[in-house]
Amino acid sequence: MTSISRTTRGVYAIAPTPFHPDGRIDLDSLRRLVDFYEAAGADGLTLLGQMGEAPKLTHAEAVEVAAAVLDRTRLPVVVGVSAPGFASMKALTGEVMSRGAAGVMVGPPHTLRTDDQIVGYYAQVGEALGPDVPVVVQDYPLTFSVVMSVPVLRRIAREVPSVVMLKHEDWPGLEKISALRAAEEAGAMPRLSILCGNGGLFLDFEMRRGADGAMTGYCFPELLVDVVRLMGEGRTADAHDLFDAHLPLIRYEQQAGVGLAVRKYVMRRRGLLADDAQRAPGRSLTAAERAEIDVLLERLARRDPRAKLS
Amino acid sequence: MTSISRTTRGVYAIAPTPFHPDGRIDLDSLRRLVDFYEAAGADGLTLLGQMGEAPKLTHAEAVEVAAAVLDRTRLPVVVGVSAPGFASMKALTGEVMSRGAAGVMVGPPHTLRTDDQIVGYYAQVGEALGPDVPVVVQDYPLTFSVVMSVPVLRRIAREVPSVVMLKHEDWPGLEKISALRAAEEAGAMPRLSILCGNGGLFLDFEMRRGADGAMTGYCFPELLVDVVRLMGEGRTADAHDLFDAHLPLIRYEQQAGVGLAVRKYVMRRRGLLADDAQRAPGRSLTAAERAEIDVLLERLARRDPRAKLS
Amino acid sequence: MTSISRTTRGVYAIAPTPFHPDGRIDLDSLRRLVDFYEAAGADGLTLLGQMGEAPKLTHAEAVEVAAAVLDRTRLPVVVGVSAPGFASMKALTGEVMSRGAAGVMVGPPHTLRTDDQIVGYYAQVGEALGPDVPVVVQDYPLTFSVVMSVPVLRRIAREVPSVVMLKHEDWPGLEKISALRAAEEAGAMPRLSILCGNGGLFLDFEMRRGADGAMTGYCFPELLVDVVRLMGEGRTADAHDLFDAHLPLIRYEQQAGVGLAVRKYVMRRRGLLADDAQRAPGRSLTAAERAEIDVLLERLARRDPRAKLS
Amino acid sequence: MTSISRTTRGVYAIAPTPFHPDGRIDLDSLRRLVDFYEAAGADGLTLLGQMGEAPKLTHAEAVEVAAAVLDRTRLPVVVGVSAPGFASMKALTGEVMSRGAAGVMVGPPHTLRTDDQIVGYYAQVGEALGPDVPVVVQDYPLTFSVVMSVPVLRRIAREVPSVVMLKHEDWPGLEKISALRAAEEAGAMPRLSILCGNGGLFLDFEMRRGADGAMTGYCFPELLVDVVRLMGEGRTADAHDLFDAHLPLIRYEQQAGVGLAVRKYVMRRRGLLADDAQRAPGRSLTAAERAEIDVLLERLARRDPRAKLS
């Protein structure tokens, strides 16, 4: 089994959890999604993030989802295991690592404030999960209300050896990438793989700042793959052109609270999900929103034919 | 099995979850605690609250704790089932109600802000758990960062029939009790049982404002029982005298983040807990803190002999 | 003097406050900016918003800035008067209204939480400022941490007659515009003028939802004017085309904490500001950020020649 | 003129700002208050804190209040100068220092989160006000939502030479005092004078932990003076006895949002204020609250005759 590491690069697509309209998990759609991500060129998958509606699953369901994906793919799979307590976090981590997960992702509890509290929390995570479980730190202030400064990330990287990757979705965050890379080069911290989130909203410049790729759930993962590849090949202008064509939709999908519904709607229209249902509490799109997304898709299709949906 | 109702009165002692120093649950101490609360005159028990370290237990452990208590006592038992999603909340609720719990307690997710969001959340709770599960709303802004105004509580009481009790720990909250009682008398909302928390810090005046009792975990539940009884008998001055003697310790125990450690320390000194360990993350008392509590106990013992510990 | 009203339409450009490198206010640049906004087709101006560094000015300086603008233009001018207390708010309001301001804008104190608190606050604002001062409610949760639901805005519109305009920058907010317009049509609230902020990030669809225009400070106000005009003329596709060309830069400028520096940098490059200095605390752009903006400007210039800067 | 210093000890009474019922400042009552604090044995005064309704005053009024007090007393006077921007902070500081203030107090803006942000803010304060203005850091998380860890305070003490005093009202905070004193003894930071707030709720143990005194506004400043003195003389038991007698009222006065009304009500009953009015927004006490305070005063009078009010 491949594990994530400090040098992991590429696109880790965050998969939504498909549900039937009555709230049951739709494993068929999940497997279809996995095949699609592979075909789209994803380098890995991430499950049970905030956008994967992880907190709405029971422990047993979370294991079922992870197992279905791990059985289906050889891509490395990161599993979100954030939990209010370490007992639950350890239990889920044990289940998914034994089934071949490549690592786990942990977001901070919203009550953390000071530098010491944040560093201390990840030190406890590292201790609770043990040295053999690679950990992704999720740095997402808008959702978690926890602000991780560069010094904090530097300390986590130094003091918690099992932390090997940063899911970067601070906002704004371009300077943070540069500062972390500078700290690494100065020997002030070990290298972290930096994969960027935020729906891809800044992926164009994040790659130019030294990010290793993307870990996010934009409904056209092909775009993420293309931008990362083109930037890697030095075809900067091409990367920008393609990225800019998608930006109106990326922006629309990145709206807090609505984003997941947008994503599932497009994925249903793309034939990937049987239904775009969310588990309660969740909201479906209004007719106006669906019409707006359809406009965005039509406009996008003029520049990226993959957006041409029947 | 007795259920809690809109007219429940008295003291529901909140039981801490006892742990061995290695983090395992200490069921022997838990059973000893249950017997003690019965002997102390508690009218009911509450398990798995914030102070019961509920988020640190796995689902299986939470069921184990609830089962051990429900097997031991005929007192009505309320179980905290707050969870980030309804699937987990329903699962735990099913387990404990089928074993004879008297109701469940639900605190709000910290992200709720507007009146509609809060009312909507409890409407979803009521729907998810079904009409036969009596629900306690936990109104604790300092911990949950959710402010429930009187109009919000009025709407919840009207719109969610299974909500029968308020765990009142807004701070300050005396006027809220009066306003709710006035709304009930004016026919603007159905009656709620109001049991007060906050470690008992305002219990003297809360009873005078029309509260039905206490639901909190102060390390001398006998004091809570006495104050509620004396106030009920109209012996107001006696109630104040006894309350004031305990106030220095109540205040000390009510410190955020330290309170549970204080409580477990005193309960260990009282012979109720084999150990005062908390599961990580939790902190133990410093020598200075232990000395301060010892001073408070000695001073208290001059006025309440039950505080004389060998 | 023209006052803003419930039917105000168009673009109110939010002007930054220009400073010299030593922190003194640069009134020459301010006057040049005013002339530029007029030439660009703005329908009005807004001063001393959050982006105008209003909290960094003394009362006397705020009056000086407002006076300089009011002396220079016949456009209607809205002045931000948010303050921690009503005494200061009244004092500044008196000064600017007597000099011919068209209305004032008030954001909520960050401590407001419940519906009643928010409505109550604006009722007090209305009372403090009197019935003759038209008030703009600034609905900007990301900055103020205050969430105004549609019922809250409906109540404010009904209960505070001097509130005539909403500066809409909730995020996401498209459904809110539709809900407010529906409430107006149903007679549930008087009409409010709705001008949209958020740097213009959703202006394309906001106009389609029924917004009256924009009130924001994007560094190319011409774009805001064009989009509002084209949408008004029913030239939807043209509006989208132009908007999409600017979106990469709009997105870049809309980054919290950096946005104002971006804006001032572009305005300096456009020859509008003598310097892009901010008063402390504020930060200047790094070389990497300046280079990124230059890339964005070059790319934009291929589609909008106004972005071609020498 | 005396300035505060790193070794300042004793009680700095925080004076409320007296208003007439119509909202005008009541300078006569203010002067009466000053004389009373002197007679009560206060070692200094603090003006224009949060409890002094400072944000409700205009700049001119703030200067007027400070001048009236500085003209009346030879006690050292600390003036709160917290402001959203440095321009206003500097302006008020200049006014009061030139009139003989002993120092200024600055609370943090609620937006600060990381260690670097907090330290950076006080570094900017020190720079803006200059090396000759002694600064008190107000550490009050419950009001400001800013959590200052011990490492942060250590850095502020080391990096900002003009910071000489800590107004300590973290909660809980006993361990913080011990940790700061230990850091001082270990040479890790220069000594700070530590005066404690929180209405005095933990003053008994704060003194035992090494605090230098109190800076708070409890309506019986005599009690603060006595406790600090008795603790200083080693008469610990006497200090506790007196403190415990006042604790029921201290606790009542320490309720967020109501405290100032309680304080003004008692001070009016004590003949110190002509009226207990607050400026809007503020609330007056209900009949039930007044009755509760009267009960507390009567009960207190049995043990401290100074509470016997006619």
Side-chain angles (χ1 to χ4, degrees), chain D residues 111-282:
Chain D
T111 46
L112 303 180
R113 301 299 295 266
T114 70
D115 287 15
D116 282 355
Q117 287 171 344
I118 302 169
V119 175
Y121 181 76
Y122 279 100
Q124 287 182 307
V125 168
E127 206 170 306
L129 303 187
D132 298 331
V133 177
V135 172
V136 183
V137 170
Q138 188 171 10
D139 178 15
Y140 195 6
L142 218 59
T143 286
F144 296 121
S145 300
V146 174
V147 180
M148 300 188 194
S149 64
V150 169
V152 158
L153 290 170
R154 223 157 45 197
R155 284 178 58 192
I156 292 174
R158 278 200 311 253
E159 299 176 22
V160 193
S162 57
V163 167
V164 299
M165 184 184 283
L166 177 69
K167 181 171 199 293
H168 166 280
E169 38 198 343
D170 197 355
W171 183 80
L174 295 172
E175 287 298 309
K176 189 180 254 185
I177 298 174
S178 296
L180 291 170
R181 290 306 186 218
E184 291 170 6
E185 272 164 48
M189 63 182 277
R191 189 182 202 283
L192 293 180
S193 166
I194 301 179
L195 301 188
C196 298
N198 265 326
L201 193 63
F202 286 92
L203 186 59
D204 47 351
F205 290 109
E206 287 163 343
M207 292 308 296
R208 295 171 71 148
R209 292 291 187 116
D212 293 302
M215 181 186 280
T216 193
Y218 178 51
C219 53
F220 285 90
E222 306 94 316
L223 179 274
L224 306 173
V225 170
D226 289 347
V227 168
V228 169
R229 181 179 46 79
L230 289 168
M231 286 288 184
E233 297 170 356
R235 294 170 57 192
T236 309
D238 291 341
H240 275 297
D241 286 346
L242 190 60
F243 179 85
D244 288 356
H246 279 264
L247 185 54
L249 180 56
I250 290 175
R251 164 210 56 166
Y252 198 94
E253 198 201 77
Q254 223 263 330
Q255 296 176 83
V258 192
L260 179 60
V262 175
R263 192 169 289 173
K264 285 193 163 182
Y265 173 75
V266 175
M267 286 181 154
R268 185 175 68 71
R269 284 212 54 199
R270 298 190 74 183
L272 300 168
L273 299 179
D275 198 276
D276 55 4
Q278 293 179 48
R279 259 197 191 168

